[in-house]
Amino acid sequence: MNYFVYQTPVGPLTICEEQGKIVAISTHRPLPVGTEQETEVIKQAHTQLSEYFEGRRKTFDLPLAPQGTTFQQRVWQALCDIPYGETRSYKQVAQAVGNAKGARAVGMANNRNPLMIVVPCHRVTGSNGRMVGYAAGIEKKEFLLRLEGSLL
């Protein structure tokens, strides 16, 4: 695995790549096991994330290879279907993946999302719009939602 750390408006962001595909984007520490190397696909991801933070990009076009269970993959795909500037509740995402009573399971899949921002788990809120559950911290979730205009 190759990785590189960039300074961003949400703090240090580590972008990881394997075999030409992005496998993780995270603010978490410690650094992953692998080689610190700024590959072309990592540079591409950083460029698109910079455009996002500048308000010039609303969708991402990157080769992705997140690792997870079949259910997690379905949830992550449903997250990608939430438009920029909008939010959905955990219950709505659960319904979208065919598990109407699976809001808690959706929350766990969000927590395991390896591709923060690009797979927009920050767009999922509690049923009443409350800011709940974000692995990188609620303040980062609020920042991202404000950036997208869905939180005033």
Side-chain angles (χ1 to χ4, degrees):
M1 177 183 328
N2 297 302
Y3 70 90
F4 203 80
V5 181
Y6 297 94
Q7 291 302 319
T8 72
V10 294
L13 204 59
T14 303
I15 303 173
C16 304
E17 169 262 326
E18 280 185 311
Q19 300 177 350
K21 295 186 178 187
I22 301 297
V23 295
I25 300 172
S26 175
T27 59
H28 302 303
R29 297 291 180 167
L31 292 174
V33 174
T35 304
E36 185 173 9
Q37 180 178 340
E38 191 179 29
T39 65
E40 286 305 312
V41 73
I42 288 174
K43 286 180 194 177
Q44 180 184 9
H46 176 249
T47 297
Q48 290 189 25
L49 285 161
S50 294
E51 292 168 352
Y52 168 83
F53 287 125
E54 293 165 0
R56 297 185 299 122
R57 177 173 289 275
K58 296 183 179 182
T59 60
F60 295 92
D61 181 23
L62 296 166
L64 305 175
Q67 299 298 308
T69 67
T70 301
F71 178 76
Q72 289 169 337
Q73 297 280 347
R74 285 193 353 247
V75 169
W76 300 336
Q77 182 54 57
L79 299 179
C80 291
D81 294 338
I82 303 171
Y84 180 97
E86 294 184 22
T87 61
R88 299 289 185 272
S89 70
Y90 290 96
K91 181 179 180 179
Q92 288 172 312
V93 175
Q95 291 168 335
V97 298
N99 187 356
K101 296 185 182 201
R104 193 165 279 182
V106 165
M108 290 305 298
N110 276 11
N111 183 266
R112 302 263 191 276
N113 173 17
L115 296 165
M116 73 176 286
I117 302 169
V118 172
V119 174
C121 56
H122 62 277
R123 295 181 188 154
V124 183
T125 63
S127 292
N128 58 3
R130 284 186 341 188
M131 294 299 110
V132 294
Y134 192 59
I138 296 296
E139 67 285 343
K140 287 180 176 73
K141 181 175 191 160
E142 290 175 342
F143 171 84
L144 295 169
L145 292 175
R146 276 193 193 90
L147 177 71
E148 294 183 6
S150 58
L151 181 67
L152 303 176

